Amino acid sequence: MQIQDVTLNSLEDAIQSLRSQMITSGMQKGLNHPDTISYSQQLDISLNKYQCLMLHQENN
C-alpha cells in the first residue's frame, strides 16, 4: 500500500462523514444554516482534493 492509497482512503472516509453531517444538519437546521453551508464547503474541498489525487494516479 502506498501513501497515496492511504490518503485516498482517509479522504473517502472524510467525504462520507462530511456528507452525513451535511445531510443531518440540512434536515435539522435547514439548508441555509451556517453549519450546513460549512459542511458543504468542507465537502467541496475534500471532493476536489480526491478528484485531483485520482487524476494524478491515473496519469502515473
Side-chain angles (χ1 to χ4, degrees):
M1 182 179 284
Q2 296 177 342
I3 292 174
Q4 193 170 9
D5 293 334
V6 173
T7 303
L8 284 173
N9 289 338
S10 63
L11 266 175
E12 288 170 352
D13 292 344
I15 287 167
Q16 289 290 55
S17 176
L18 286 167
R19 184 177 286 131
S20 293
Q21 291 173 309
M22 180 186 70
I23 290 169
T24 301
S25 179
M27 291 174 67
Q28 292 177 351
K29 300 176 183 179
L31 298 178
N32 292 322
H33 191 278
D35 290 345
T36 306
I37 292 170
S38 177
Y39 288 130
S40 177
Q41 290 170 339
Q42 291 175 57
L43 180 58
D44 288 344
I45 291 167
S46 294
L47 287 168
N48 288 337
K49 287 179 184 178
Y50 184 83
Q51 186 175 20
C52 286
L53 284 172
M54 290 298 291
L55 287 171
H56 180 71
Q57 187 176 34
E58 288 175 5
N59 290 332
N60 286 335

